């Protein structure tokens, strides 16, 4: 029995997988922002320490940011292996959401302890994290990208 397609054929790639929304890629980059900053700091050797100190004056925050970015970095790699590891891929949306939730709790506890930032950037990133978590949980097309029945079009 053949089921009708929920999405247009253009929404599928050459492998027959439902294409990931562009915003999903931005969320992965948002979550892996500490890793991106580390790469940028490594690329600019002379100003690397200054760049890291600007965004992460507290070293503990830097290490926590790296740890919280690991699921997004793995998620970037997993996108190419959706068909090979379908069970792992199915659960990865929840892993990304849990990582965002932990990040939000950490940022909220920092604010409650009176560690108000000098610039609005941390508050803006917290808002983006909140919006990303909401979008990961509510966007139907993204949810379908993680379901096995939308991994192959016949």
């Amino acid at each position: 029995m053949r089921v009708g397609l929920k999405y247009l054929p253009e929404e599928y790639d050459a492998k027959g997988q439902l294409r990931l929304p562009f915003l999903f890629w931005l969320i992965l980059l948002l979550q892996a922002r500490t890793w991106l900053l580390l790469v940028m700091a490594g690329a600019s050797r002379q100003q690397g320490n200054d760049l890291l100190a600007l965004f992460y004056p507290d070293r503990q925050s830097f290490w926590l940011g790296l740890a919280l970015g690991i699921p997004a970095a793995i998620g970037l790699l997993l996108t190419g292996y959706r068909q090979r590891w379908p069970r792992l891929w199915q659960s990865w949306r929840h892993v990304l959401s849990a990582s965002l939730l932990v990040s939000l709790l950490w940022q909220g506890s920092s604010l409650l302890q009176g560690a108000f930032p000098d610039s609005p950037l941390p508050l803006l990133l917290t808002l983006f994290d909140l919006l990303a978590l909401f979008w990961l949980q509510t966007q139907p097309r993204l949810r379908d990208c993680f379901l096995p029945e939308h991994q192959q079009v016949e």
Side-chain angles (χ1 to χ4, degrees), residues 25-85:
W25 297 103
L26 292 179
I27 287 173
L28 289 179
L29 292 176
L30 174 72
Q31 283 188 273
R33 62 184 171 257
T34 307
W35 286 96
L36 293 173
L37 184 64
L38 180 65
V39 168
M40 288 175 16
S44 62
R45 298 172 198 209
Q46 295 168 345
Q47 293 92 10
N49 286 334
D50 296 336
L51 185 64
L52 290 175
L54 177 67
F55 286 97
Y56 292 101
D58 177 25
R59 285 213 185 254
Q60 182 180 358
S61 299
F62 173 73
W63 293 113
L64 188 59
L66 283 177
L68 290 172
I70 290 173
I74 293 172
L76 283 167
L77 296 173
L78 274 178
T79 58
Y81 295 99
R82 293 195 277 173
Q83 289 178 330
R84 190 174 295 171
W85 296 324

Side-chain angles (χ1 to χ4, degrees), residues 76-153:
L76 283 167
L77 296 173
L78 274 178
T79 58
Y81 295 99
R82 293 195 277 173
Q83 289 178 330
R84 190 174 295 171
W85 296 324
R87 287 185 144 185
L88 183 61
W89 175 249
Q90 281 179 270
S91 64
W92 211 254
R93 184 173 67 97
H94 301 296
V95 171
L96 293 172
S97 296
S99 174
L100 273 171
L101 188 60
V102 169
S103 177
L104 284 168
L105 290 173
W106 168 60
Q107 292 165 353
S109 71
S110 295
L111 288 174
L112 288 176
Q113 292 175 0
F116 288 100
D118 295 335
S119 75
L121 183 64
L123 293 174
L124 188 61
L125 288 173
T126 302
L127 176 65
F128 285 151
D129 284 345
L130 185 63
L131 291 172
L133 179 63
F134 177 77
W135 192 79
L136 275 174
Q137 291 302 309
T138 60
Q139 220 282 332
R141 179 170 168 207
L142 180 66
R143 187 173 36 239
D144 288 346
C145 286
F146 285 87
L147 297 175
E149 58 264 19
H150 292 287
Q151 293 306 310
Q152 289 284 43
V153 65

